[in-house]
Amino acid sequence: NAGVTQTPKFRVLKTGQSMTLLCAQDMNHEYMYWYRQDPGMGLRLIHYSVGEGTTAKGEVPDGYNVSRLKKQNFLLGLESAAPSQTSVYFCASSSPTVAANNEQFFGPGTRLTVL
Amino acid sequence: GDSVTQMEGPVTLSEEAFLTINCTYTATGYPSLFWYVQYPGEGLQLLLKATKADDKGSNKGFEATYRKETTSFHLEKGSVQVSDSAVYFCALSGRSARQLTFGSGTQLTVLP
């Protein structure tokens, strides 16, 4: 199993450009998440999904959109990138079963720089 | 809302030293508590967890005990190795049971 994979690993954008980050998981997890990691601030939740076709806002959703058209994929879009969106983005997935105890499995991250 | 306060770093230790990283939390009810580790250039990996009061999570020589009376989940290891150098995150899964709330992370460097 590959677990959680993210594409691309690195990207540099100019202000105003758009892009989509792809997350894929092969663990048949219902829940998926997008976080951003900034120095000294830990991980902050951007959006999440509790199943195919559903999405919900997290702590810092502004400037981002997401889609969950297939259970195994969760896309994060930036319509008009801003320098404040320079960050490392992590995708995660989890199972809603009691036995799973809300453990989340993380991808390797995407380092995005907006100039 | 839920929050996690973590000991600020960076922390630098010599090999075989004793490690403690403090973590306290604020949450309604009975959250599950986690420690995640992030090695350089990688994503987060679950290190250990505890789901109810007085539970002790342990893995790879690391331990943490869920203390409800002090709302704490401090991470300890008796003898650190160079390979333990990483960023450690304390986290909780609260009432919504769908989200993790993370602390700010503690950078640990172990010198040979």
Side-chain angles (χ1 to χ4, degrees), chain A residues 9-23:
Chain A
K9 287 184 169 46
F10 304 94
R11 186 72 185 269
V12 178
L13 292 178
K14 295 181 179 178
T15 297
Q17 288 184 317
S18 63
M19 77 163 294
T20 300
L21 282 66
L22 172 64
C23 175

Side-chain angles (χ1 to χ4, degrees), chain A residues 6-13 19-21 87-89 108-114, chain B residues 41-42:
Chain A
Q6 292 182 232
T7 309
K9 287 184 169 46
F10 304 94
R11 186 72 185 269
V12 178
L13 292 178
M19 77 163 294
T20 300
L21 282 66
S87 187
V88 181
Y89 292 85
T110 295
R111 185 173 296 275
L112 174 66
T113 301
V114 183
Chain B
E42 299 183 9

Side-chain angles (χ1 to χ4, degrees), chain A residues 31 33 35 37 40-43 45 48 50 57-58 90 99-109, chain B residues 32 34 36 38 41-46 49 51 87 89 93-94 97-105:
Chain A
Y31 295 175
Y33 313 82
Y35 293 90
Q37 183 182 28
M41 301 186 73
L43 275 74
L45 184 65
Y48 65 98
V50 299
K57 294 180 180 180
F90 288 99
N101 290 130
N102 303 313
E103 177 184 350
Q104 293 185 14
F105 294 81
F106 284 81
Chain B
S32 295
F34 305 84
Y36 279 83
Q38 183 181 31
E42 299 183 9
L44 279 70
Q45 304 172 24
L46 180 67
K49 64 184 177 185
T51 59
V87 181
F89 291 94
S93 176
R98 294 174 178 177
Q99 302 180 29
L100 288 178
T101 300
F102 285 88
S104 57

Side-chain angles (χ1 to χ4, degrees), chain A residues 21-98:
Chain A
L21 282 66
L22 172 64
C23 175
Q25 53 95 5
D26 62 2
M27 296 173 283
N28 202 35
H29 285 166
E30 288 293 331
Y31 295 175
M32 296 187 74
Y33 313 82
W34 276 107
Y35 293 90
R36 59 177 290 171
Q37 183 182 28
D38 301 294
M41 301 186 73
L43 275 74
R44 293 182 292 169
L45 184 65
I46 304 171
H47 287 278
Y48 65 98
S49 167
V50 299
E52 183 178 320
T54 72
T55 63
K57 294 180 180 180
E59 181 185 354
V60 288
D62 294 343
Y64 306 94
N65 56 76
V66 288
S67 64
R68 183 98 181 269
L69 299 179
K70 294 182 179 180
K71 185 177 182 179
Q72 64 268 35
N73 295 338
F74 195 29
L75 279 64
L76 177 71
L78 286 71
E79 291 185 348
S80 179
S84 61
Q85 294 178 304
T86 294
S87 187
V88 181
Y89 292 85
F90 288 99
C91 177
S93 70
S94 69
S95 168
T97 62
V98 172

